[in-house]
Amino acid sequence: MADDADVIVVGGGLAGLVAATEITDAGKRVIVVDQEGEQSLGGQAFWSLGGLFLVDSPEQRRLGIKDSFELALQDWMGSAGFDRDEDLWPRRWAEAYVAFAAGEKRGWLRAMGHRIFPVVGWAERGGYDAMSHGNSVPRFHLTWGTGPGIVEPFERRAREAQASGLLSFKFRHRVDALTMTGGAVDGVAGATLAPDDAVRGNSSSRQVTGDFTLRAQAVIVASGGIGGNHDLVRQNWPKRLGEAPVNMISGVPEHVDGRMIGITEAAGARLINRDRMWHYVEGIRNWSPIWPRHGIRILPGPSSMWFDALGRRLPSPLFPGSDTLGQLQYIMSTGYDYSWFVLTQSIIKKEFALSGSEQNPDLTGKSWLMTARRATNKGAPAPVEAFKSKGADFIVRDNLADLVTAMNALAGHDLLRHEHVKTQIEARDREIQNPYVKDTQVMNIHNARKYIGDRLIRTAKPHRILDPAHGPLIAVKLNILTRKTLGGFETDLDSRVFGLNGQIIPGLYAAGEAAGFGGGGMHGYRSLEGTFLGGCLFSGRNAGRAAAKAVG
Ligand SMILES: Cc1cc2nc3c(=O)[nH]c(=O)nc-3n(C[C@H](O)[C@H](O)[C@H](O)COP(=O)(O)OP(=O)(O)OC[C@H]3O[C@@H](n4cnc5c(N)ncnc54)[C@H](O)[C@@H]3O)c2cc1C
């Protein structure tokens, strides 16, 4: 039987698009198969903020940030905490990826027309010692145009290859099995799904209209992670974090269903580190949802006070933006799956950013005029104000007693005591007058404001939370929001997948989230942020180049 293409790529997300365009650049024929319709091309990356981890970039240098491969690798290894035998390939991928981020990554993208917003963000700041978790310096580079801006160059290249006959898309084709001959993967089989004009991100129907098989010399699995499938998240929930949360909201569309992970495993692929996941603890229910249980992550600046469900301040260094996994672990240890930010109007307007392309119309629409308003500090961006007034998790009051009463009403318990919360806020407020202080969160605020990027758009001038001049007071109920899968298929640096016997499965490759962004988990336990899109770029590129070479 003749092959339908040289290579089949399962998944038209960022990793799949990158892999496919590398294959067509090498003059080979590729089919991209996706269960969703054409309107959803680009997968999760379209919805993303487009944040990219880059090391020693011109943007950093312009802001006076001194970064290096060595510093970034130190941070990566401190965050990853690799501690398993199966971390052999993840560790190799981590080293190669940090080198990519410090080397070719920016120039490669730039040559395709990709551009970066000039103020570099500082995510996952840690707060432990130099060898532990966190970014020592700001490294989160926002794509000018956010998620659509990172998808655009690859979609353009794919459309060009489609026009030249090297690439074809098979939308509404759901892969249900990998086909194999003599131990080698040589195609896919599955169901065709009824056409559906659901808008991008909405759930589409799973009505089957027929079946299909496609043959090729190699198959690249780029089908994303499990974050949209809460059953799988619960099933894989790590014991070290206690019981899985009862309530979770979704930071990804429903197509991030993890089905293809099981299908690839059934073909003999070795899935490792499945208990490593990256979920956020600052999730808010979207008042205008696009997908089921749609939640948005707040990207907080350093000043909000953070309380657990019992009204206790989170311990140092678990301050906003410091250590996502540490915060998740602490919150789960309280016996409740939510926590609270308490802040002021002055903080929200300068420090709240929402993750997602649709929540940042200024950056997504590439409007310098709108973006400049972030620095003028006249008010919170419109999407943040919309959440403040319409979001189910936001409470705005003029005084603390009323705020705490409303927090208890929203939680449906009487766990918070006004006096208890007030004592802690007043204590923190007494620390705010001197630039040298005991309170480590206040130290962090002073530290952040030494970085011009934070001072400009991310860190409010230190002030008392209970100062009415900075009011009204705001409380935000924070939910656990599912997002990323850190484990995945074990792959070598060519993205070739290992089988259970430790041997490469001929013809099978994996990239993006399905491969734990490379190797089966290059992040280890924790991410430095901006490393997921970058992981799709790097692993998709390696997979595409290697598969194109292998098919001769
Ligand atoms: C709101 C949001 C903000 C984010 N912000 C950032 C950020 O700033 N920086 C960052 O680095 N990362 C960010 N991320 C994460 C990043 O976008 C994702 O991890 C990444 O895009 C995953 O890409 P992927 O190609 O591996 O998978 P996906 O984008 O999930 O694509 C997989 C594709 O495979 C298809 N598929 C799955 N199973 C099958 C099957 N059986 N048959 C056929 N097709 C199938 C799916 O329909 C989908 O189109 C964000 C994500 C979201 C949702």
Side-chain angles (χ1 to χ4, degrees), residues 332-365:
M332 293 315 296
S333 77
T334 65
Y336 298 88
D337 48 25
Y338 66 90
S339 60
W340 297 98
F341 275 166
V342 173
L343 60 149
T344 61
Q345 177 63 22
S346 298
I347 294 174
I348 202 170
K349 72 182 180 188
K350 188 126 184 187
E351 298 199 5
F352 264 36
L354 302 172
S355 181
S357 51
E358 83 288 4
Q359 300 296 336
N360 294 275
D362 50 352
L363 294 163
T364 305

Coordinates of all heavy atoms in Angstrom, one line a residue, residues 332-365:
M332 N -3.0 22.8 49.6 CA -3.6 21.5 49.7 C -3.5 21.0 51.2 O -4.3 20.2 51.7 CB -3.0 20.5 48.7 CG -3.4 20.8 47.3 SD -5.1 21.2 47.0 CE -5.9 19.7 47.4
S333 N -2.4 21.5 51.9 CA -2.2 21.0 53.2 C -3.2 21.6 54.2 O -3.3 21.2 55.4 CB -0.8 21.3 53.7 OG -0.6 22.7 54.0
T334 N -3.9 22.7 53.8 CA -4.8 23.3 54.7 C -6.2 22.6 54.8 O -7.0 22.9 55.7 CB -5.2 24.8 54.2 OG1 -5.9 24.7 53.0 CG2 -3.9 25.6 54.1
G335 N -6.4 21.6 53.9 CA -7.7 20.9 53.9 C -8.7 21.6 53.1 O -9.9 21.2 53.0
Y336 N -8.4 22.8 52.5 CA -9.3 23.5 51.6 C -8.6 23.7 50.3 O -7.4 23.8 50.2 CB -9.7 24.8 52.2 CG -10.4 24.7 53.5 CD1 -9.7 24.6 54.7 CD2 -11.8 24.5 53.6 CE1 -10.4 24.4 55.9 CE2 -12.5 24.3 54.8 CZ -11.8 24.3 56.0 OH -12.4 24.0 57.1
D337 N -9.4 23.8 49.2 CA -8.7 24.0 47.9 C -8.8 25.4 47.3 O -8.8 25.6 46.1 CB -9.2 22.9 46.9 CG -10.8 22.8 46.9 OD1 -11.4 23.9 47.2 OD2 -11.3 21.8 46.5
Y338 N -8.9 26.3 48.2 CA -9.0 27.7 47.7 C -8.2 28.6 48.7 O -7.9 28.2 49.8 CB -10.4 28.2 47.6 CG -11.2 28.4 48.9 CD1 -11.1 29.5 49.6 CD2 -11.9 27.3 49.4 CE1 -11.8 29.6 50.8 CE2 -12.6 27.4 50.5 CZ -12.5 28.6 51.3 OH -13.2 28.7 52.5
S339 N -7.9 29.8 48.3 CA -7.2 30.8 49.2 C -7.7 32.2 48.7 O -8.5 32.3 47.8 CB -5.7 30.6 49.0 OG -5.3 30.8 47.7
W340 N -7.1 33.2 49.4 CA -7.6 34.6 49.2 C -6.4 35.5 48.9 O -5.4 35.5 49.6 CB -8.3 35.1 50.4 CG -9.5 34.4 50.8 CD1 -9.6 33.4 51.8 CD2 -10.9 34.5 50.3 NE1 -10.9 33.0 51.9 CE2 -11.7 33.7 51.0 CE3 -11.4 35.4 49.3 CZ2 -13.1 33.6 50.7 CZ3 -12.8 35.3 49.0 CH2 -13.6 34.4 49.7
F341 N -6.6 36.4 48.0 CA -5.8 37.7 47.9 C -6.6 38.8 48.6 O -7.8 38.9 48.3 CB -5.6 38.1 46.5 CG -4.4 37.4 45.8 CD1 -4.3 37.6 44.4 CD2 -3.4 36.8 46.4 CE1 -3.3 37.0 43.7 CE2 -2.4 36.2 45.7 CZ -2.3 36.3 44.4
V342 N -5.9 39.6 49.4 CA -6.5 40.8 49.8 C -5.6 42.0 49.4 O -4.4 41.9 49.6 CB -6.7 40.8 51.4 CG1 -7.2 42.2 51.9 CG2 -7.7 39.8 51.8
L343 N -6.2 43.0 48.8 CA -5.4 44.0 48.2 C -6.2 45.3 48.1 O -7.3 45.4 48.6 CB -4.9 43.6 46.8 CG -6.0 43.3 45.7 CD1 -5.5 43.7 44.3 CD2 -6.4 41.8 45.7
T344 N -5.5 46.3 47.5 CA -6.2 47.6 47.4 C -6.4 47.9 45.9 O -5.8 47.3 45.0 CB -5.3 48.7 47.9 OG1 -4.1 48.7 47.2 CG2 -4.9 48.5 49.4
Q345 N -7.2 49.0 45.6 CA -7.3 49.5 44.3 C -6.0 49.8 43.6 O -5.7 49.6 42.5 CB -8.3 50.7 44.2 CG -8.5 51.3 42.9 CD -9.2 50.3 41.9 OE1 -9.8 49.4 42.2 NE2 -9.0 50.6 40.6
S346 N -5.1 50.5 44.5 CA -3.8 50.9 43.9 C -3.0 49.6 43.5 O -2.2 49.7 42.5 CB -3.0 51.6 45.0 OG -3.6 52.8 45.4
I347 N -3.2 48.5 44.2 CA -2.4 47.3 43.8 C -3.0 46.7 42.5 O -2.3 46.4 41.6 CB -2.4 46.3 45.0 CG1 -1.6 46.9 46.1 CG2 -1.8 45.0 44.5 CD1 -1.6 46.0 47.4
I348 N -4.4 46.6 42.5 CA -5.0 45.9 41.4 C -4.6 46.7 40.1 O -4.4 46.0 39.0 CB -6.5 45.7 41.5 CG1 -7.0 44.6 40.6 CG2 -7.3 47.0 41.2 CD1 -8.4 44.1 40.9
K349 N -4.6 48.0 40.1 CA -4.5 48.7 38.9 C -3.1 48.6 38.3 O -2.9 48.6 37.1 CB -5.0 50.1 39.0 CG -4.1 51.1 39.7 CD -4.8 52.4 39.7 CE -4.0 53.4 40.5 NZ -4.7 54.7 40.7
K350 N -2.1 48.4 39.2 CA -0.7 48.3 38.7 C -0.3 46.8 38.6 O 0.6 46.5 37.7 CB 0.2 49.0 39.6 CG 1.6 49.1 39.1 CD 2.1 50.5 39.1 CE 3.5 50.6 38.5 NZ 4.1 51.9 38.7
E351 N -0.8 45.9 39.4 CA -0.2 44.6 39.5 C -0.9 43.5 38.9 O -0.4 42.4 38.8 CB 0.1 44.3 41.0 CG 1.1 45.3 41.6 CD 1.7 44.8 42.9 OE1 1.4 43.6 43.3 OE2 2.4 45.6 43.5
F352 N -2.2 43.6 38.7 CA -3.0 42.5 38.2 C -2.9 42.4 36.7 O -3.2 43.3 35.9 CB -4.4 42.6 38.6 CG -4.8 41.8 39.8 CD1 -3.9 41.8 40.9 CD2 -6.0 41.1 40.0 CE1 -4.2 41.1 42.0 CE2 -6.3 40.5 41.1 CZ -5.4 40.4 42.2
A353 N -2.4 41.2 36.2 CA -2.4 40.9 34.8 C -3.1 39.6 34.7 O -3.1 38.8 35.6 CB -1.0 40.9 34.2
L354 N -3.8 39.4 33.6 CA -4.5 38.1 33.4 C -3.9 37.4 32.3 O -3.6 37.9 31.2 CB -6.0 38.4 33.1 CG -6.8 39.2 34.1 CD1 -8.2 39.6 33.6 CD2 -6.9 38.4 35.4
S355 N -3.7 36.0 32.5 CA -3.0 35.3 31.4 C -4.0 34.9 30.3 O -5.1 34.5 30.6 CB -2.4 34.0 32.0 OG -1.7 33.3 31.0
G356 N -3.6 35.1 29.1 CA -4.5 34.7 28.0 C -4.6 35.8 26.9 O -4.6 37.0 27.3
S357 N -4.6 35.4 25.7 CA -4.5 36.4 24.6 C -5.8 37.3 24.6 O -5.7 38.5 24.4 CB -4.4 35.7 23.3 OG -5.4 34.7 23.1
E358 N -7.0 36.7 24.9 CA -8.2 37.5 24.9 C -8.3 38.4 26.1 O -9.1 39.3 26.0 CB -9.4 36.5 24.8 CG -9.9 35.9 26.1 CD -9.1 34.9 26.7 OE1 -8.0 34.6 26.2 OE2 -9.5 34.3 27.8
Q359 N -7.5 38.2 27.1 CA -7.5 39.1 28.3 C -6.5 40.3 28.1 O -6.4 41.1 29.1 CB -7.2 38.3 29.5 CG -8.2 37.2 29.8 CD -9.6 37.7 30.1 OE1 -9.8 38.8 30.5 NE2 -10.6 36.8 29.8
N360 N -5.8 40.3 27.0 CA -4.8 41.4 26.8 C -5.0 42.0 25.5 O -4.1 41.9 24.6 CB -3.4 40.8 27.0 CG -3.2 40.3 28.5 OD1 -2.8 41.1 29.3 ND2 -3.5 39.1 28.7
P361 N -6.1 42.7 25.2 CA -6.4 43.2 23.9 C -5.3 44.2 23.4 O -5.1 44.3 22.2 CB -7.7 43.8 24.0 CG -8.0 44.0 25.4 CD -7.2 42.9 26.1
D362 N -4.6 44.8 24.3 CA -3.6 45.8 23.9 C -2.4 45.1 23.3 O -2.0 45.5 22.2 CB -3.2 46.7 25.1 CG -2.8 45.9 26.4 OD1 -3.0 44.6 26.4 OD2 -2.3 46.5 27.3
L363 N -1.9 44.1 24.0 CA -0.8 43.4 23.4 C -1.1 42.5 22.3 O -0.4 42.4 21.3 CB -0.2 42.5 24.5 CG 0.5 43.2 25.7 CD1 0.6 42.3 26.9 CD2 1.8 43.8 25.3
T364 N -2.3 41.8 22.4 CA -2.8 40.9 21.3 C -3.0 41.7 20.0 O -2.7 41.3 18.9 CB -4.0 40.2 21.7 OG1 -3.7 39.5 23.0 CG2 -4.4 39.1 20.7
G365 N -3.6 42.9 20.2 CA -3.9 43.8 19.0 C -2.7 44.6 18.6 O -2.9 45.4 17.7

